[in-house]
């Protein structure tokens, strides 16, 4: 019978791309990871990885085994959750990832409510990004993340993860309060051809912004590149340029700015909570998810939770 611990090792190798990196994640020595892999290949009776230089890729058999490992880990987490009872109380450490400068205030409200309800639980917040958050949960670096997603609201079927949409808000053009468009009911992308732009080039929203400009027939004249939406909005408030951002993202500055719709742009930002599949059966994790979703359904500020 295949050893679950060896399957976890293979999964880490697949995720990290090398034996050394997998060892760092698992807190094993490189030789220990190599030994686990060799033993697993012996048990499986076939090669599971293709070693090319320092980088490792999985063989078809290896990929198939990792897919099974994901399902096995879900069942193990579910089994562990079934051993927990509410009588034990909601204690222990909960690691939550949030994009601090990007999310609407619903995120801070939800986490504040979780702390109020479960005062015996240690909640440790960690800064993450919309792009990296889900992967951090999958690798067990975080227990839960609340991130943003753009476009369709439907849940993704990422192996080993479970998610719920909390709410949504539309994208808006952000301009300084004294901008000629500040009092307009809307605008077109073509009207923004000669504007200075503040963008987050490494983010999904940043790439979408550049794509909208190119589709409208011009390359954006970028005056600032930043790492998060909150900083971009703050620079807009002090007159540095314009940007596109979700309507409910806090400005992070006292400077005034205007937010207006862009003709033809109906993309929404969806706020999503993500945990490892199986963890949601734990009374502790389930209670936290319920608290976060309950806050997201409050009528203030955001659209309807789902």
């Amino acid at each position: 019978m295949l050893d679950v611990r060896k399957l976890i090792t293979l999964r880490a190798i697949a995720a990290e791309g090398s034996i050394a990196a997998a060892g760092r994640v698992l807190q094993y020595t490189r030789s220990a990871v190599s030994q686990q892999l060799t033993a697993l290949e012996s048990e499986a009776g076939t090669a599971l990885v293709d070693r090319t230089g320092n980088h490792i890729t999985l063989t078809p058999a290896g990929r198939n085994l990792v897919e099974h490992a994901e399902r096995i880990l879900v069942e193990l987490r579910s089994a562990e959750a079934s051993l927990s009872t509410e009588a034990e109380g909601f204690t222990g450490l909960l690691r939550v990832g949030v994009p601090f400068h990007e999310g609407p205030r619903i995120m801070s409200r939800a986490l504040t409510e979780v702390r109020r309800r479960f005062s015996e639980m240690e909640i440790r917040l960690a800064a993450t990004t919309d792009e990296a958050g889900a992967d951090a949960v999958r690798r067990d670096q975080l227990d839960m993340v609340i991130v943003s997603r753009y476009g369709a609201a439907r849940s993704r079927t990422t192996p080993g993860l479970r998610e719920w949409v909390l709410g949504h808000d539309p994208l808006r053009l952000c301009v300084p309060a004294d901008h000629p468009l500040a009092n307009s009911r809307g605008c077109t992308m073509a009207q923004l051809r000669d504007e200075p732009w503040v963008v987050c080039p490494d983010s999904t929203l940043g790439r979408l912004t550049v794509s909208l400009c190119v589709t409208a027939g011009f390359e954006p004249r970028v005056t600032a590149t930043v790492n998060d939406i909150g900083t971009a909005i703050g620079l807009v408030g002090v007159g540095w340029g314009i940007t596109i951002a979700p309507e409910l993202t806090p400005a992070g500055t006292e400077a005034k700015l205007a937010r207006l719709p862009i003709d033809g742009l109906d993309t929404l930002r969806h706020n999503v909570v993500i945990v490892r599949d199986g963890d949601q059966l734990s009374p502790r994790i389930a209670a936290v998810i319920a608290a976060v979703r309950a806050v997201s359904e409050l009528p203030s500020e955001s659209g309807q939770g789902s």
Side-chain angles (χ1 to χ4, degrees):
M1 182 178 293
L2 297 175
D3 188 324
V4 172
R5 289 172 297 182
K6 295 187 182 73
L7 291 176
I8 292 174
T9 299
L10 179 64
R11 177 175 173 266
I13 292 171
E16 304 301 327
S18 75
I19 288 176
R24 287 192 293 271
V25 169
L26 298 172
Q27 297 185 329
Y28 292 166
T29 64
R30 178 172 181 156
S31 61
V33 173
S34 294
Q35 290 170 13
Q36 293 261 34
L37 176 58
T38 299
L40 181 60
E41 288 183 317
S42 178
E43 293 172 5
T46 186
L48 301 174
V49 300
D50 180 16
R51 297 171 175 82
T52 303
N54 294 325
H55 190 75
I56 286 183
T57 57
L58 267 63
T59 63
R63 289 194 296 272
N64 181 55
L65 200 53
V66 167
E67 290 177 4
H68 283 286
E70 292 288 359
R71 292 194 289 271
I72 290 168
L73 290 175
V74 169
E75 291 301 320
L76 284 175
R77 287 193 290 269
S78 299
E80 290 175 348
S82 70
L83 298 177
S84 302
T85 64
E86 292 192 22
E88 295 175 348
F90 299 124
T91 60
L93 173 64
L94 182 71
R95 303 163 299 170
V96 182
V98 291
F100 285 111
H101 299 292
E102 299 186 16
R105 294 182 181 88
I106 182 179
M107 292 185 180
S108 59
R109 287 206 318 266
L111 295 172
T112 298
E113 176 65 9
V114 169
R115 289 189 69 187
R116 186 190 68 79
R117 293 191 188 187
F118 314 117
S119 58
E120 298 300 315
M121 186 186 300
E122 180 186 354
I123 299 176
R124 181 184 301 164
L125 298 183
T128 188
T129 64
D130 294 332
E131 290 73 26
D135 194 52
V137 171
R138 187 176 62 82
R139 297 186 183 195
D140 197 25
Q141 297 168 346
L142 294 169
D143 300 306
M144 173 187 296
V145 293
I146 304 175
V147 296
S148 298
R149 183 169 296 152
Y150 299 91
R154 64 181 182 275
S155 296
R156 297 180 179 179
T157 55
T158 304
L161 298 179
R162 183 68 67 91
E163 63 183 49
W164 295 263
V165 176
L166 301 176
H168 58 260
D169 55 330
L171 297 184
R172 294 289 184 250
L173 177 69
C174 300
V175 299
D178 59 355
H179 192 280
L181 290 172
N183 295 317
S184 302
R185 293 185 177 181
C187 70
T188 65
M189 285 298 300
Q191 288 178 266
L192 309 175
R193 175 183 299 273
D194 298 321
E195 296 286 345
W197 286 85
V198 180
V199 298
C200 309
D202 297 326
S203 71
T204 301
L205 181 58
R207 291 188 290 272
L208 174 61
T209 298
V210 172
S211 176
L212 288 169
C213 294
V214 171
T215 300
F218 66 93
E219 291 283 344
R221 179 165 61 89
V222 177
T223 57
T225 58
V226 296
N227 294 324
D228 63 82
I229 303 169
T231 300
I233 295 175
L235 287 176
V236 171
V238 297
W240 201 261
I242 66 172
T243 196
I244 294 174
E247 186 171 54
L248 299 181
T249 302
T253 176
E254 295 182 359
K256 301 296 184 181
L257 55 88
R259 307 187 195 221
L260 55 147
I262 300 173
D263 293 351
L265 178 60
D266 55 5
T267 301
L268 298 177
R269 186 263 302 271
H270 303 278
N271 302 300
V272 182
V273 57
I274 304 173
V275 301
R276 284 182 298 279
D277 197 0
D279 280 358
Q280 78 278 4
L281 300 178
S282 161
R284 185 174 76 109
I285 298 295
V288 172
I289 293 171
V292 170
R293 297 187 75 191
V295 171
S296 74
E297 291 168 358
L298 295 177
S300 62
E301 208 180 58
S302 66
Q304 297 295 316
S306 60

